[in-house]
Amino acid sequence: MARYKAGPQIITHWKIFLHNVCEPDALVASSQVLQAVLTTIDALPLRCREAFILHRFDGLSHSEVAEHMGISRKAVEQHIQHAMQVIRRCRMQMEGDTGTPVSVLQRRKNGCD
């Protein structure tokens, strides 16, 4: 089975978007958050990552993902829900309570990277 990974095209699209809407400091901070989120996605269990990427990046419905992976729609929903919880936790650790990125050392301490 192919390893599903958040590929360079996703990073490129986000960098272009961020460059067009952000000030330099915000761009650096947003790029760091994006990289941490992509690293978090890549660290998800294989089936969870596959379901998440097929749904969120490839645009497949839950039913289409279930058919593609040979699992139930409910299992797909659980995989996507788990992925979203992990990503949300990583973003919260990156942004801290103030909504601004925290240091790399703090992220590593919190287990985000």
Side-chain angles (χ1 to χ4, degrees):
M1 175 178 285
R3 173 171 161 74
Y4 284 83
K5 186 171 181 164
Q9 70 277 9
I10 296 167
I11 296 170
T12 301
H13 290 296
W14 275 103
K15 284 184 178 178
I16 291 168
F17 170 76
L18 292 172
H19 179 73
N20 289 330
V21 299
C22 294
E23 296 293 323
D25 290 343
L27 177 61
V28 170
S30 296
S31 294
Q32 290 171 345
V33 171
L34 173 62
Q35 188 58 52
V37 168
L38 292 174
T39 299
T40 300
I41 292 169
D42 287 341
L44 290 169
L46 176 63
R47 301 293 276 174
C48 181
R49 180 176 58 245
E50 180 180 6
F52 180 77
I53 289 174
L54 287 171
H55 176 64
R56 298 295 278 206
F57 295 125
D58 293 346
L60 274 62
S61 69
H62 289 187
S63 297
E64 291 169 326
V65 173
E67 184 177 327
H68 179 81
M69 294 178 65
I71 60 177
S72 71
R73 188 173 189 275
K74 184 69 173 174
V76 169
E77 291 171 1
Q78 290 172 342
H79 283 311
I80 293 170
Q81 182 180 26
H82 173 72
M84 292 302 297
Q85 288 172 345
V86 171
I87 292 166
R88 192 174 298 113
R89 191 176 320 123
C90 180
R91 288 195 61 207
M92 287 172 59
Q93 289 173 351
M94 285 289 297
E95 295 171 355
D97 293 333
T98 63
T100 57
V102 296
S103 72
V104 172
L105 293 176
Q106 185 64 36
R107 289 195 318 266
R108 286 190 180 140
K109 178 181 171 190
N110 292 337
C112 191
D113 295 343

